[in-house]
Amino acid sequence: MKIAGKDQSAVELVKTALEKAHEYQKDYHVFTWINDAALKRAVEIDEKIVRGEEVGRLAGVPYALKDNFLSRDGETTASAHILEGFNSPITATAVQKLEAEGAIMIGRTNLDAFAHGSSTENSYYGPTKNSKDLERVAGGSSGGSAVAVALGIVPFATGTDTGGSIRQPASLNGVFGLKPTYGTISRYGVVAMASSTDCIGFFTRKASDLDLLMEICAGQDPKDLTSLPDYYKGSSNGFDDPVKKIGIIRDFDNEAVAPEIRQALREKVDELKAAGHEIIELDMPALKHALAAYYIIVPAEISSNLSRHDGIRYGFRSEDAGDLSRIYQNTRSEGFMPENKRRIMIGNFVLSSGFYDAYYLKAAKARTLIIKEYEKAFEQCDFLLTPVGPSPAFKLGEKTHDPVAMYLEDVMSVPLNLAGVPGISIPVGKTEAGLDIGLQLVGPRRSDRGLIRFATQIAGEVQVREDDSLDINFENGEL
């Protein structure tokens, strides 16, 4: 950054970020809430610096928080009506770690309600607009976070990725988006979507900036029993060989993928070959079942996780609440968005008596095949390179009335979540219309550091530094 210090104060960094947040909010609708009180924390950081006290590796760095992370700052709504007015009594582990290092949250970013969507059009507060075209979607569900980074409002933003919700909006807005290995960062304090596929990650403008964020946030958390022991720090995970074997999935290069994305993939492959890397073409037939399996397994978990929102304990309650049955029915009918209801109904159906074996059990078996498919692929190569999705940013409203078309935007991103492997979206160019194009670099489980280092390399940046300081500097609104 440069982080707050003798060259720039925390107040200057935060003030600049807040000014940009207010400037862009009207047109792009990035935030659900802007934290003007962040300047008070910036003053505290600057006072510590003057006194010579420890301020952390992210001292004074402003960041944006996806509005499904619990924090005592502002309401946590997950962009859903049913959580309107909810003030969290706890703070998410990832937020605690970032702010312990001096990071300052300047606002909560918009998302598809409960992270259900691929366009940020399912938000109760209205859609976020694409950073390059106000008539197009930002992607989702972490659309607000992606646009906050793409517009240079903040150096980094948090996101959650259950089936592509970091990588897809990162691709559509020309920034880097990391989905780590499942369990690398604690999910404690994040509004649950699907507990077996939810991952915490980040958006940045430089791949190398992801390294420090992972250093800070990775690690086991006793409050999250799915979190992994910290494998990230101090290791490149055995990927030190500068020459890599890169797998290309044949099935992902087809007529359903936009020609400009296919061309971008071919050009990147040519660059990798010219740099001396080996390209291996792969057949991964089990991946064709991933989307169907995902939209059985994930709604099943959603239906369970959303059952807690009933108008009794917290959040919104319908005014038409004459008895207990009406409280439940009317609160959930009024409080959930149509996409939330759709997923709840699908989940209840596939888990119901007589359909569990026909749907959910088969999807679980398909998931096992997908996991084995990735294991087999990584016996032959170090990383995979694929499109993030089949198309650049589409027009607002274009797919809102066609759920299947919207779900197909996730066809290349959901397999990673089912398998638990890490992936990073890398910006590689633009369409003739000026829309951003990203490609997805995928690694085996726990290869996150090697993945970030290779992404840094192929993005034309300087190799990740061995020390854990992050050189972030707000110059012309860029890192």
Side-chain angles (χ1 to χ4, degrees):
M1 308 174 213
K2 291 209 179 213
I3 62 173
K6 61 180 181 180
D7 297 325
Q8 271 182 309
S9 69
V11 168
E12 289 173 325
L13 292 170
V14 171
K15 186 177 180 180
T16 299
L18 287 172
E19 288 174 350
K20 290 182 178 181
H22 285 290
E23 176 188 350
Y24 288 120
Q25 177 67 0
K26 181 179 179 181
D27 289 335
Y28 293 90
H29 194 212
V30 176
F31 298 95
T32 59
W33 175 71
I34 296 176
N35 182 21
D36 289 306
L39 282 169
K40 180 179 179 181
R41 177 161 164 76
V43 170
E44 294 172 356
I45 294 288
D46 285 336
E47 289 175 347
K48 285 186 176 182
I49 292 172
V50 170
R51 294 194 297 265
E53 297 177 9
E54 178 64 39
V55 289
R57 291 172 286 180
L58 296 173
V61 177
Y63 78 99
L65 186 70
K66 187 177 180 180
D67 193 24
N68 58 350
F69 284 73
L70 299 184
S71 167
R72 289 184 171 87
D73 293 325
E75 296 177 3
T76 302
T77 69
S79 293
H81 182 32
I82 204 165
L83 277 177
E84 192 173 20
F86 173 62
N87 291 285
S88 172
I90 67 170
T91 299
T93 297
V95 175
Q96 289 178 340
K97 289 183 174 183
L98 291 169
E99 298 190 352
E101 294 289 347
I104 300 175
M105 189 265 282
I106 62 104
R108 292 179 168 275
T109 57
N110 196 25
L111 64 146
D112 292 292
F114 288 107
H116 300 173
S118 303
S119 65
T120 315
E121 292 175 284
N122 295 321
S123 169
Y124 176 66
Y125 303 104
T128 296
K129 312 295 178 59
N130 184 274
S131 60
K132 305 302 186 299
D133 187 339
L134 291 171
E135 295 183 356
R136 295 181 183 271
V137 300
S141 64
S142 309
S145 287
V147 174
V149 174
L151 293 176
I153 297 172
V154 288
F156 77 91
T158 67
T160 57
D161 192 311
T162 306
S165 289
I166 291 175
R167 289 159 288 144
Q168 188 248 23
S171 173
L172 300 190
N173 290 281
V175 296
F176 292 90
L178 173 69
K179 170 219 159 324
T181 298
Y182 177 80
T184 301
I185 298 175
S186 171
R187 292 184 296 109
Y188 176 76
V190 178
V191 177
M193 178 179 165
S195 303
S196 74
T197 60
D198 286 349
C199 291
I200 311 306
F202 306 100
F203 298 87
T204 64
R205 293 170 69 92
K206 293 172 64 179
S208 54
D209 290 341
L210 294 166
D211 186 53
L212 177 55
L213 298 175
M214 288 288 285
E215 283 264 359
I216 290 169
C217 291
Q220 197 160 31
D221 180 5
K223 296 176 181 177
D224 176 7
L225 298 182
T226 65
S227 60
L228 297 172
D230 186 10
Y231 62 85
Y232 188 85
K233 296 183 180 69
S235 170
S236 60
N237 307 101
F239 289 91
D240 294 322
D241 188 344
V243 177
K244 301 292 191 294
K245 295 180 179 179
I246 309 299
I248 306 298
I249 304 173
R250 290 190 183 97
D251 289 344
F252 282 1
D253 185 12
N254 59 59
E255 296 298 326
V257 181
E260 289 167 305
I261 293 177
R262 297 175 71 185
Q263 180 61 28
L265 177 60
R266 285 192 287 269
E267 289 175 358
K268 183 56 69 174
V269 167
D270 290 341
E271 288 178 18
L272 292 170
K273 286 181 179 178
H277 302 293
E278 183 180 351
I279 303 299
I280 301 173
E281 293 192 1
L282 299 171
D283 291 311
M284 299 180 69
L287 298 192
K288 67 177 177 288
H289 303 299
L291 194 66
Y294 177 88
Y295 278 103
I296 292 172
I297 292 170
V298 167
E301 296 185 23
I302 287 171
S303 67
S304 175
N305 281 326
L306 290 188
S307 64
R308 71 194 69 177
H309 302 286
D310 54 15
I312 300 294
R313 286 162 284 194
Y314 51 80
F316 166 78
R317 176 185 291 183
S318 172
E319 294 182 1
D320 183 7
D323 55 46
L324 187 61
S325 177
R326 286 166 67 188
I327 290 175
Y328 288 160
Q329 180 176 332
N330 294 332
T331 295
R332 290 168 68 82
S333 294
E334 297 170 26
F336 287 132
M337 300 288 288
E339 182 61 27
N340 304 142
K341 297 175 186 177
R342 183 180 295 115
R343 297 189 186 203
I344 290 169
M345 292 174 69
I346 292 171
N348 285 335
F349 176 78
V350 300
L351 291 175
S352 61
S353 177
F355 294 103
Y356 177 89
D357 288 349
Y359 293 99
Y360 186 83
L361 186 59
K362 283 186 178 179
K365 290 178 178 178
R367 183 179 194 170
T368 300
L369 292 176
I370 291 164
I371 292 170
K372 291 181 177 179
E373 196 84 271
Y374 276 108
E375 290 173 350
K376 181 181 176 182
F378 289 124
E379 290 174 359
Q380 304 174 61
C381 59
D382 298 309
F383 302 117
L384 303 175
L385 184 67
T386 80
V388 178
S391 64
F394 46 92
K395 289 288 186 75
L396 288 161
E398 183 179 330
K399 300 185 180 184
T400 51
H401 300 295
D402 189 347
V404 174
M406 189 73 79
Y407 294 166
L408 286 171
E409 289 296 312
D410 301 331
V411 68
M412 298 171 185
S413 57
V414 299
L416 279 68
N417 297 79
L418 292 175
V421 297
I424 179 170
S425 177
I426 303 169
V428 295
K430 297 183 183 297
T431 68
E432 289 185 5
L435 302 175
D436 290 304
I437 296 175
L439 296 177
Q440 177 175 240
L441 193 67
V442 185
R445 292 182 189 179
R446 307 194 188 203
S447 68
D448 302 57
R449 192 162 210 171
L451 189 72
I452 291 171
R453 291 190 174 197
F454 189 60
T456 301
Q457 178 183 333
I458 67 174
E461 297 179 15
V462 178
Q463 195 70 292
V464 176
R465 290 159 48 178
E466 292 300 327
D467 64 83
D468 58 4
S469 62
L470 191 60
D471 186 22
I472 298 179
N473 189 11
F474 261 100
E475 294 179 1
N476 300 319
E478 296 186 359
L479 284 177

